Amino acid sequence: MSVFLAPKGIIDDIQAKLSRAWWAGKEKGRYWTMIPWKTLCKPKAMGGLGIRDVRLFNMALLGRQVWRLINNTDSLCFKVLSSKYFPDGNIFKAKKVDKASFTWSSIAKAAEMLKEGFGWQVGNGEKINIWADNWGMEGLNGDVIK
């Protein structure tokens, strides 16, 4: 799950097995849900039991791969992926490829999700595109903050 985006059906099966294991009683096929599953998935500090949402956990693991590609530009993985998918070295501005590998497609989806929450620190300003980059003036859903 840290390299591939798991298909929705697989995620649903894992989630169903987790909920069955949690709610199963002594009798086979009988489940008694006292608390909604979404409540159980909340962090303990927010009144839940801290059970991980498998879809979000999968995206978090893929996000870690994106983070590694951003920070470890000397790695073999970065060199191989950047040569084919983002030759300018910016993972957020990857070029479209007809037959991309499943690994790259998964990492690109995570990068797309992460890009919405990223903003720039100006620094020396060499790599900032003022027209295309997120300057932190928008919410996560793209609405302008007033």
Side-chain angles (χ1 to χ4, degrees):
M1 285 181 61
S2 66
V3 180
F4 302 113
L5 182 65
K8 185 177 180 341
I10 300 292
I11 296 288
D12 291 342
D13 285 347
I14 293 171
Q15 205 79 7
K17 285 184 179 19
L18 281 171
S19 67
R20 274 194 217 117
W22 181 257
W23 296 122
K26 292 180 181 176
E27 300 174 25
K28 296 284 182 186
R30 306 271 309 188
Y31 304 103
W32 183 45
T33 59
M34 296 183 293
I35 301 172
W37 183 251
K38 287 188 177 189
T39 304
L40 292 177
C41 289
K42 287 182 181 177
K44 290 179 184 178
M46 296 176 68
L49 291 179
I51 297 173
R52 290 191 174 128
D53 181 352
V54 181
R55 166 70 61 198
L56 291 176
F57 187 60
N58 184 215
M59 289 306 290
L61 290 173
L62 286 169
R64 184 175 63 178
Q65 298 301 331
V66 173
W67 187 255
R68 285 180 178 164
L69 288 172
I70 291 170
N71 290 311
N72 300 327
T73 57
D74 294 334
S75 69
L76 179 63
C77 184
F78 177 85
K79 291 176 183 177
V80 169
L81 290 175
S82 67
S83 68
K84 183 169 184 177
Y85 301 112
F86 51 101
D88 64 347
N90 187 348
I91 192 169
F92 297 113
K93 294 181 182 168
K95 64 181 185 178
K96 302 289 181 190
V97 177
D98 287 337
K99 294 182 181 178
S101 69
F102 189 64
T103 303
W104 171 249
S105 300
S106 300
I107 292 173
K109 287 218 189 236
E112 189 177 310
M113 283 187 79
L114 284 174
K115 184 178 179 180
E116 294 175 10
F118 277 11
W120 282 97
Q121 289 183 341
V122 175
N124 63 7
E126 287 180 3
K127 295 185 178 181
I128 295 178
N129 181 348
I130 62 171
W131 302 112
D133 292 334
N134 181 1
W135 281 82
M137 299 304 201
E138 296 134 4
L140 290 178
N141 61 358
D143 294 337
V144 175
I145 298 174
K146 296 177 184 177

